[in-house]
Amino acid sequence: DFGESTAQLTDGYIDIHYWPEFRLRAGQFKVPFSFEQLSSSRFIDFVELSIVDNLVPAFDVGFQLHGSLAGGLVEYAGGLFNGKALNTKESNDSKDFAGRILVRPFKNSKGSPLEKLHVAGHFTYGDQDSATSLRGRTDGKFVFFSPVPTRGDRLRYGVETVYAYGPFGLYGEYVQSEEERKGLGAGGTNLADLTGQGWYVAGTVFVTGEEKVHGKPPKVKPANP
């Protein structure tokens, strides 16, 4: 990525995909979590991601098994990651487990209003040792929730629903994080887990009637140049 003050590596991985049902990826890439985060920035509907993205992992170093089953009715991914984010060295001997499963129950119902519906769930779990918590920040760099010290396990999980029919698109996500604070209270007592929650619902419509397909470039064909 040459858009930063200094060039940095974002994607750098090897993917073995001889079989669509069973693929292996290793290197630095996006953790399988969140429709918004996994969508290419070229094809997202808005200029920025939602503020819920503060709770969501992005790039990390690790490996995963992933694939597509039953002709695309089900997609899965699961693997181990450092849990330290983009271009950050590992600082403990623990790894983050991450998993995701996506179902398109009506994919084979051609012409059905529900053909493009998908539902997915995902999670990450790992021991972070002594660290700082997730934080809340707008794209304008305004911090509305500052990070605090944490120690112990971090669990993140979420669900998403994505739908499109004709020119209409609708999607939403719910994400929750739970971070332990062991031994950080008075006299080395445990503090209550730090919990973060977020959700969004978004929709779009092509007023000129073209078909909406999430994750792909719009095929807009004007009647006149």
Side-chain angles (χ1 to χ4, degrees):
D1 183 354
F2 294 95
E4 303 295 328
S5 56
T6 58
Q8 64 176 3
L9 177 69
T10 51
D11 275 303
Y13 59 86
I14 295 173
D15 195 279
I16 302 172
H17 52 271
Y18 186 79
W19 301 284
E21 299 84 4
F22 185 82
R23 304 178 179 183
L24 176 64
R25 178 176 296 184
Q28 179 168 273
F29 53 94
K30 286 187 176 181
V31 177
F33 195 110
S34 173
F35 170 73
E36 259 197 329
Q37 184 58 238
L38 294 176
S39 297
S40 169
S41 59
R42 295 185 298 160
F43 305 142
I44 58 176
D45 289 328
F46 300 97
V47 175
E48 302 290 353
L49 301 180
S50 70
I51 296 180
V52 176
D53 195 60
N54 285 281
L55 303 177
V56 171
F59 291 94
D60 204 349
V61 175
F63 74 91
Q64 72 175 19
L65 298 176
H66 62 116
S68 177
L69 307 175
L73 285 174
V74 177
E75 294 181 3
Y76 73 92
L80 292 174
F81 297 85
N82 281 347
K84 297 299 180 182
L86 181 71
N87 293 327
T88 303
K89 293 181 179 180
E90 179 63 291
S91 59
N92 61 26
D93 58 1
S94 179
K95 303 297 179 185
D96 270 17
F97 296 91
R100 172 178 169 86
I101 187 166
L102 180 152
V103 179
R104 299 183 178 92
F106 304 100
K107 183 179 184 297
N108 293 333
S109 302
K110 300 301 181 183
S112 167
L114 299 176
E115 180 184 354
K116 296 179 185 175
L117 172 71
H118 90 231
V119 179
H122 29 248
F123 79 95
T124 70
Y125 175 79
D127 183 359
Q128 299 298 304
D129 287 347
S130 295
T132 54
S133 70
L134 304 173
R135 66 176 176 180
R137 189 178 75 173
T138 67
D139 292 310
K141 310 303 181 185
F142 171 73
V143 177
F144 59 88
F145 183 81
S146 299
V148 299
T150 60
R151 183 181 296 156
D153 295 341
R154 179 179 64 193
L155 170 66
R156 290 182 285 200
Y157 54 90
V159 293
E160 71 187 41
T161 300
V162 180
Y163 174 72
Y165 183 66
F168 298 96
L170 183 66
Y171 55 99
E173 292 190 66
Y174 172 83
V175 177
Q176 181 161 323
S177 66
E178 299 174 4
E179 300 177 84
E180 290 186 332
R181 296 189 288 172
K182 294 180 178 179
L184 296 178
T189 58
N190 297 337
L191 297 177
D193 291 355
L194 184 68
T195 300
Q197 298 174 329
W199 62 270
Y200 72 85
V201 175
T204 59
V205 59
F206 278 126
V207 296
T208 47
E210 286 82 10
E211 182 182 20
K212 175 64 178 179
V213 180
H214 287 107
K216 293 185 179 181
K219 296 180 180 179
V220 180
K221 298 180 180 180
N224 297 290

